[in-house]
Amino acid sequence: MIRGASALALAASLSVSCFASSPPETSAIPSGAQRVTVTADTAGQLQAVLTAQAAALARGDAEGYRATYDATRPAFRRCKQETFESAVRQRGAPRPMKVLRAEEYGDAYVRAWVDGGESSGVSRIYFRKIDGAWVQSEPTETEVGAEKHTTVDGIDIDYWAIDDDVVGALARGTIAARDAVVEHQLAPSTHPFGIRFYPTRSVTTLVGCTLVGYHLTNQPNDKYIRFFRYWFTPDLTALSPVTISFIQHEGLHWVQDQFSPGITARLDWWLTEGWPDYVGASRSSEYKRAVVCGTPTPTFKQLVDGPPDLPDTPPEEPVRYYAFANTMVEFLYARFGPDAYRQLLEAYKSGVDPSVNYPLVLKVSPGAFYADWLAFAKKSYC
């Protein structure tokens, strides 16, 4: 999970034209909204909304922030509120997203391609007019179009009609991730993973707002990765490298289950999440440096148990743990070699006690491993 295949010969070259694009399937204009069209001024008007939104976040202005988004969308509202609370806790806000392109979606929405100025890439967000004013919004479950399915090079891809125009990019990015996943298979598999792209919060289950995607661990017969956040390259033609790395991360969870069904229920948390995070390159060196050098280090037990799953746990806290777990696997590879990971998984089939498995495989105690890893991480990143 990110808070992010078979051993057949895999090669494919796809273009967007491989997929027939159908018109968006939307319902009538929602109550309280108005019909919209894109003009030469639209991108600038949307940019003004995003600039006001970022300014309100920066000064902790809850009322000003609420004025920039559509509070009638429950799941969307929940995530916007969480963003505000996180910004207040961290005493900062991201710089305003830059609108690159605006296009009509149905009669009531404008879809904007926006660059957040971060490494993730370009995202697609939606706006509508309420009482004559633009607000950030999202189409409802009945406005995203029909659920669709395609199979490309053996990979099942599920999506909604709202993404018809980018399904070629989704497919190409998934194939690139699948090819990387296959290189790290721990055991032969009988089928490739599939992927399901959720375009808005309204069509997702109740998942965390910072969650990028997940694979249902300990259920090897469920081949699907679920993806809730995905980004594109600046030219708007492909999934961004960060998105592909996150698909790799979840594909590697699938690899763990193919190796031994249910193994991740037995592993230390850092072994479960650190391996796909490190091998899939899900965390940048800059982020690892900021976390390792600038935040408190979890105890060994916390890294075995995983981040706290409590109602009052800030959503940014679990993300921090991933950076530490990533560097632990980096240390495991550097000190003990890449085969050590598979050997640890074999040991955890028989028992789940680190005080038994670490000496058995690594010839060191858990305490010595933790101390040596921390010294390695500080030297490498600080």
Side-chain angles (χ1 to χ4, degrees), residues 202-213:
S202 65
V203 297
T204 68
T205 53
L206 188 60
V207 300
C209 297
T210 60
L211 189 67
V212 175

Side-chain angles (χ1 to χ4, degrees), residues 219-240:
Q219 297 188 39
N221 292 327
D222 187 325
K223 66 180 180 180
Y224 275 94
I225 294 168
R226 282 83 172 168
F227 247 68
F228 310 103
R229 302 173 69 193
Y230 37 103
W231 299 267
F232 298 86
T233 52
D235 62 6
L236 317 183
T237 64
L239 287 180
S240 70

Side-chain angles (χ1 to χ4, degrees), residues 66-321:
R66 281 195 297 269
T68 67
Y69 68 84
D70 184 355
T72 68
R73 305 287 187 259
F76 178 72
R77 179 182 68 237
R78 172 175 60 89
C79 291
K80 297 304 284 186
Q81 290 172 338
E82 185 174 293
T83 297
F84 179 81
E85 293 163 2
S86 180
V88 170
R89 276 193 305 271
Q90 299 182 78
R91 298 184 179 182
R95 69 183 186 181
M97 293 181 284
K98 180 180 179 181
V99 176
L100 303 179
R101 189 170 84 192
E103 58 198 19
E104 294 170 15
Y105 176 72
D107 294 326
Y109 296 92
V110 168
R111 176 164 56 202
W113 297 71
V114 297
D115 184 352
E118 300 175 345
S119 61
S120 300
V122 173
S123 58
R124 286 152 54 105
I125 62 176
Y126 294 83
F127 295 82
R128 67 180 182 134
K129 275 188 175 180
I130 300 179
D131 298 327
W134 286 109
V135 291
Q136 187 184 352
S137 183
E138 68 172 23
T140 65
E141 188 173 357
T142 62
E143 296 170 329
V144 295
E147 294 184 48
K148 294 196 169 185
H149 173 87
T150 188
T151 301
V152 183
D153 199 33
I155 302 177
D156 288 326
I157 300 174
D158 291 354
Y159 65 103
W160 273 260
I162 196 171
D163 278 342
D164 267 337
D165 62 317
V166 295
V167 68
L170 302 183
R172 290 193 303 274
T174 300
I175 288 173
R178 188 272 313 271
D179 290 348
V181 166
V182 166
E183 295 178 10
H184 298 282
Q185 281 196 191
L186 301 168
S189 59
T190 57
H191 57 268
F193 65 77
I195 192 164
R196 188 170 174 83
F197 291 96
Y198 293 79
T200 65
R201 290 293 173 187
S202 65
V203 297
T204 68
T205 53
L206 188 60
V207 300
C209 297
T210 60
L211 189 67
V212 175
Y214 69 79
H215 166 65
L216 288 174
T217 57
N218 310 319
Q219 297 188 39
N221 292 327
D222 187 325
K223 66 180 180 180
Y224 275 94
I225 294 168
R226 282 83 172 168
F227 247 68
F228 310 103
R229 302 173 69 193
Y230 37 103
W231 299 267
F232 298 86
T233 52
D235 62 6
L236 317 183
T237 64
L239 287 180
S240 70
V242 167
T243 302
I244 293 171
S245 77
F246 285 160
I247 297 175
Q248 290 173 17
H249 179 118
E250 295 308 318
L252 290 164
H253 280 313
W254 173 85
V255 164
Q256 291 168 329
D257 266 351
Q258 294 299 309
F259 172 75
S260 179
I263 190 63
T264 55
R266 304 177 65 81
L267 295 176
D268 299 353
W269 180 87
W270 74 266
L271 284 168
T272 296
E273 293 294 346
W275 183 69
D277 212 74
Y278 172 67
V279 172
S282 301
R283 235 41 63 175
S284 69
S285 295
E286 292 76 12
Y287 182 73
K288 288 190 283 186
R289 181 176 298 108
V291 170
V292 170
C293 307
T295 69
T297 304
T299 65
F300 176 72
K301 185 177 187 306
Q302 288 174 320
L303 290 164
V304 169
D305 295 342
D309 186 15
L310 301 170
D312 60 348
T313 300
E316 59 268 17
E317 179 68 359
V319 182
R320 196 174 66 87
Y321 271 59

